[in-house]
Amino acid sequence: DQQVKQNSPSLSVQEGRISILNCDYTNSMFDYFLWYKKYPAEGPTFLISISSIKDKNEDGRFTVFLNKSAKHLSLHIVPSQPGDSAVYFCAASARTSYGKLTFGQGTILTVHP
Amino acid sequence: DAMVIQNPRYQVTQFGKPVTLSCSQTLNHNVMYWYQQKSSQAPKLLFHYYDKDFNNEADTPDNFQSRRPNTSFCFLDIRSPGLGDTAMYLCATSRASGGYNEQFFGPGTRLTVL
């Protein structure tokens, strides 16, 4: 039973345009959501997070939107750059779960010059 | 730079031959996690330590064990690896258990069981 799903295995975007990566979850106990970025041969690195008390969090070119009623979150990257090409993982946590993260399968983002 | 280090980066072992993967951290975090990530799948939590307290996920096979001799080091022992244990193994740390704390990951050990 996959509680966090990223339904798009890959996304291809032109440099300078917007990248939108999507994530759905099923567990209503999740109340904290994170995005991680992973380059080949490296571990995932934290990108941005959002608490369930918010519906938007912004950090530079990266914005995460949370729609609790739809159990959906998205990561917007504007403008996209070739260096953003990586695998993006959505992860979710519940306050009661000792910080355990449940990950989605990841979306491979390719930004073309 | 404070970091999470995993050794070795690549490990090849034979079916049934025990293997140990190592993780060390200079972040002085009290929680350490081990994840298994198979090809094109989500990282899956195997277990974690909160200080010396060991917490096993319900579906982690008995074949997988862990040791944390001190705050800085954590080991993953696979007693009798099977072909299905071929995967990337990721170690992560965080400052505290519970609440909202990001996890910091090492580069992973890619294990191949032949």
Side-chain angles (χ1 to χ4, degrees):
Chain A
D1 175 30
Q2 212 169 341
Q3 298 185 60
V4 179
K5 289 184 183 178
Q6 294 175 254
N7 290 316
S8 297
S10 63
L11 175 68
S12 185
V13 169
Q14 205 68 31
E15 181 179 7
R17 306 294 289 268
I18 184 171
S19 296
I20 300 176
L21 297 103
N22 293 303
C23 178
D24 297 295
Y25 62 97
T26 56
N27 189 340
S28 57
M29 296 298 291
F30 289 146
D31 54 7
Y32 188 60
F33 304 89
L34 307 90
W35 285 94
Y36 280 82
K37 177 179 178 179
K38 185 181 183 305
Y39 292 117
E42 295 182 13
T45 54
F46 170 74
L47 192 58
I48 192 169
S49 63
I50 188 166
S51 163
S52 60
I53 61 172
K54 294 186 172 182
D55 55 18
K56 177 183 174 181
N57 190 25
E58 196 170 350
D59 183 3
R61 296 185 296 114
F62 302 91
T63 304
V64 56
F65 295 92
L66 176 62
N67 183 333
K68 287 192 293 291
S69 60
K71 293 192 175 70
H72 176 85
L73 63 154
S74 61
L75 174 68
H76 293 212
I77 307 174
V78 183
S80 302
Q81 298 173 354
D84 296 329
S85 298
V87 181
Y88 288 79
F89 290 97
C90 167
S93 177
R95 184 182 282 278
T96 56
S97 66
Y98 290 94
K100 171 184 175 179
L101 293 180
T102 302
F103 282 88
Q105 315 94 298
T107 297
I108 301 169
L109 173 66
T110 304
V111 180
H112 298 283
Chain B
D1 283 344
M3 55 200 311
V4 181
I5 302 161
Q6 290 189 245
N7 286 302
R9 294 293 307 275
Y10 302 91
Q11 176 77 56
V12 179
T13 191
Q14 291 188 331
F15 182 95
K17 187 174 179 182
V19 67
T20 293
L21 309 182
S22 166
C23 177
S24 63
Q25 54 133 339
T26 59
L27 297 159
N28 204 33
H29 285 169
N30 53 345
V31 190
M32 295 186 78
Y33 306 83
W34 279 104
Y35 290 85
Q36 179 193 63
Q37 185 185 14
K38 296 187 177 179
S39 182
S40 302
Q41 295 185 21
K44 179 177 172 298
L45 184 65
L46 295 172
F47 25 61
H48 76 276
Y49 274 94
Y50 183 4
D51 293 326
K52 291 186 181 247
D53 291 334
F54 177 71
N55 298 273
N56 201 30
E57 292 299 299
D59 55 356
T60 298
D62 292 338
N63 204 22
F64 290 82
Q65 306 284 320
S66 185
R67 297 170 283 136
R68 190 179 185 185
N70 54 52
T71 300
S72 302
F73 283 88
C74 195
F75 300 98
L76 170 60
D77 301 307
I78 309 177
R79 289 189 299 186
S80 181
L83 299 179
D85 296 329
T86 291
M88 175 73 83
Y89 290 87
L90 294 163
C91 175
T93 72
S94 70
R95 200 178 309 115
S97 180
Y100 304 140
N101 293 295
E102 70 180 86
Q103 293 181 19
F104 293 80
F105 284 82
T109 295
R110 185 169 293 283
L111 176 69
T112 302
V113 182
L114 301 176

